[in-house]
Amino acid sequence: MALSLDLSLKNALIIAVPLVISWVRYRGLENWIVFKLNSAPKQHMNKVKFVQQQVKQWNTDGRETKMCTARPGWATVSFRRGLYKNHLRNIEVNMIDILEIDETKQTVRVEPLVTMGQVTAFLNPLGWTLPVLPELDDLTVGGLIMGVGIETSSHKQGLFQHCCVSYELVLADGSVVTCSETENPDLYYAVPWSYGTLGFLVSAEIKIIPSKKYIKMEYYPVHSKEEMVEKFKEQTLLKNRNEFVETLAYSLDKAVVMTGNFTDDAESEKINPIGHFWKPWFFKHVEGFLTTGPAVEYIPIRHYYHRHTRSIFWELQDIIPFGNNPLFRYLFGWAVPPKISLLKLTQGETTKKLYEKYQIIQDMLVPLDKLPEAMEVFEKEIKMYPLWLCPFLLYDQPGMVHPPQIGNQMYVDIGAYGSPKSSTWEALKTTRALEAYVMKAGGFQMLYADSYLTRDEFRKMFDHTLYDKMREKLDCEKAFPEVYDKVNRKVRD
């Protein structure tokens, strides 16, 4: 079965690579022309009106079916299959532009389909960046707001939603509303994690912060679970905090804790532009420090932000097992990674089922003080490495996700991506076991992946108080499905 999966994915790759290259070049040129001509703000109003017209027409037609965006399921980074779109009224929200930067207010305004790759390409040359900038190029602003976004700066800055100043939405009646901490605050706090079930996001205003040329990276290899947890907590909770903290765990007892800080000064012999196609995959590069010991190097800022992109964290090794071979990197490294969206588009039904059966893609969020026992649970249930450990500050704010007690709390994202090695692995059974542990620990499940929670469990994990209030106030019941109905695997199927 595993061989069949590899062959199917490789066939998809052969088809996808030429399409990827053509699509990336077309979109890059299009976005450059639009912004250089300064036409994006003017066109934005017309695009918003077009969304309004579609929603108003839905109202005129009798509101017979609920609405969702027309963006096809294959176009998203998530491996989840959006089958619900086949039964809902599809609304075109094709909004891909960076609209404006306000360096005085230190904000940038963007449309929902702007990607993290676009953001770094635009902001970094101007000396700016986002406080939280998730690493995969194709992640969109809309997905990171309506779902969730995290990065290695999140232990200081919180989640992506906590960096957003305001949202512009088209509501179920076709009206346009802006919300922020001071204007329509209930809606502002209800939007994150709502998955497009309160309205259609048409723009967002996001904070920006000054950036520098390099990230000074410090690598701390550790050789026991206790040492890993201690070092990870120490670097996360430092009084003068590091700008970036993450850990890659290569087993229960071996890991590399990494910290990063902005700098314009770098030792030339230690500069490592890790994003070049001929360079080793980042997670393989980091693994080497387990043998060579602690180290310091300097990574150009845009290379750092997209350090996991070339290998899609480490999932590309299951698609191209020889992809990190030096010969392959030098000859064909420029052609990877394949776009996740185009891999999904070219997959057959058999490949999809095999992938769902033999792969896990999950991010589980648990309190930082639960990390030692959480690592044991992941070892027992999936026994798969590397695991991505990313700390984040969860603010005590209204909405679906907040600490169970009063006050902010430090959490950690445990990211599991790949083929489990546990002899007891079964996709449904194992995911349910992980969900049960996370719920017991006072944590949360990222909803881009398959969730098997019951409706009652889902409402226990995610606070629906404000969400239900806004659904009723904005007359969403007949307009949009609930979050659960969009993300739960059994309901979708």
Side-chain angles (χ1 to χ4, degrees), residues 193-423:
W193 296 78
S194 67
Y195 281 82
T197 61
L198 296 175
F200 294 107
L201 182 70
V202 290
S203 76
E205 184 181 12
I206 309 169
K207 298 174 188 175
I208 57 175
I209 60 173
S211 70
K212 297 185 178 180
K213 290 174 62 178
Y214 302 102
I215 302 298
K216 180 183 178 181
M217 295 291 295
E218 297 184 64
Y219 301 92
Y220 304 95
V222 292
H223 298 275
S224 73
K225 185 187 75 172
E226 293 72 23
E227 186 185 5
M228 178 197 70
V229 171
E230 180 182 357
K231 193 68 174 178
F232 184 65
K233 286 185 176 180
E234 170 194 307
Q235 295 302 320
T236 297
L237 301 174
L238 278 177
K239 185 175 181 181
N240 298 317
R241 292 181 189 172
N242 296 296
E243 294 292 338
F244 306 95
V245 178
E246 73 178 313
T247 290
L248 296 187
Y250 293 91
S251 73
L252 189 60
D253 301 315
K254 293 183 179 180
V256 179
V257 179
M258 292 169 275
T259 65
N261 288 284
F262 291 116
T263 183
D264 281 325
D265 302 314
E267 303 169 63
S268 58
E269 69 277 8
K270 294 183 179 179
I271 295 174
N272 182 10
I274 194 70
H276 288 319
F277 67 79
W278 58 85
K279 287 281 189 173
W281 289 344
F282 183 70
F283 79 96
K284 286 294 188 183
H285 171 65
V286 173
E287 188 176 15
F289 295 115
L290 289 170
T291 302
T292 59
V296 174
E297 66 180 6
Y298 300 83
I299 300 180
I301 185 168
R302 193 157 188 259
H303 289 248
Y304 174 77
Y305 278 134
H306 303 292
R307 65 202 177 281
H308 291 300
T309 293
R310 288 192 301 122
S311 56
I312 317 178
F313 279 87
W314 30 90
E315 286 211 81
L316 199 57
Q317 67 181 350
D318 289 336
I319 302 174
I320 312 176
F322 48 83
N324 194 49
N325 181 282
L327 181 61
F328 179 88
R329 293 200 312 265
Y330 276 93
L331 293 178
F332 303 108
W334 56 271
V336 297
K339 293 287 184 182
I340 294 174
S341 56
L342 288 179
L343 277 179
K344 289 165 65 179
L345 178 63
T346 55
Q347 277 181 351
E349 191 63 27
T350 300
T351 302
K352 291 176 183 176
K353 290 180 179 179
L354 285 170
Y355 204 94
E356 291 168 352
K357 185 175 181 179
Y358 293 104
Q359 294 270 313
I360 184 171
I361 303 175
Q362 292 283 348
D363 282 84
M364 298 295 189
L365 317 178
V366 299
L368 182 59
D369 60 12
K370 300 289 186 182
L371 180 58
E373 68 179 36
M375 292 294 293
E376 295 284 354
V377 171
F378 274 75
E379 166 75 9
K380 174 188 174 185
E381 297 296 342
I382 62 173
K383 204 169 187 176
M384 188 207 71
Y385 299 93
L387 291 175
W388 187 57
L389 306 181
C390 180
F392 70 97
L393 185 62
L394 185 57
Y395 286 100
D396 183 16
Q397 294 179 347
M400 293 189 76
V401 173
H402 54 76
Q405 76 288 331
I406 296 175
N408 304 333
Q409 186 175 352
M410 194 67 72
Y411 273 64
V412 58
D413 174 5
I414 304 176
Y417 327 114
S419 302
K421 304 300 187 293
S422 171
S423 60

Side-chain angles (χ1 to χ4, degrees), residues 30 152 420:
E30 178 188 48
T152 51

Side-chain angles (χ1 to χ4, degrees), residues 57 377 419 459 475:
Q57 186 61 52
V377 171
S419 302
R459 283 186 163 266
D475 194 20

